[in-house]
Amino acid sequence: MRILYLLLAGAMLFYALPRLDISSANPLESLFSLIWILFALFAAGGNLTGLMYAPKKHKAKQAQVRRSKVRQRAAAR
């Protein structure tokens, strides 16, 4: 699911960056553009971090150890 969110954040940035005017004459418009880009980068970065540090491998290894212990106990009976 995180991959989908990361792709959506990337597509949102790809679509919006050419349309946001950072060097506008209106300072509020420039501020809005900078904050919007910052929040979009936070969303992409958060999803990338969640994808990179997901504990899936650790859980799979724990499940494998549990299964082997159950098999050992069953073989000992």
Side-chain angles (χ1 to χ4, degrees):
M1 211 50 189
R2 288 197 186 271
I3 294 175
L4 176 65
Y5 295 147
L6 183 62
L7 288 173
L8 287 174
M12 188 172 61
L13 277 167
F14 181 76
Y15 179 78
L17 277 177
R19 290 162 179 77
L20 290 172
D21 190 17
I22 297 172
S23 60
S24 176
N26 187 354
L28 287 177
E29 186 177 341
S30 297
L31 181 65
F32 173 81
S33 297
L34 288 173
I35 290 173
W36 194 93
I37 291 169
L38 182 69
F39 282 146
L41 287 174
F42 279 157
N47 284 305
L48 184 61
T49 302
L51 187 63
M52 288 172 45
Y53 295 111
K56 292 179 184 175
K57 291 181 183 177
H58 183 67
K59 286 183 181 179
K61 183 154 179 89
Q62 282 180 344
Q64 182 182 8
V65 169
R66 282 187 203 129
R67 277 186 253 128
S68 66
K69 286 182 180 179
V70 168
R71 287 181 191 150
Q72 288 174 356
R73 289 179 190 157
R77 291 182 185 179

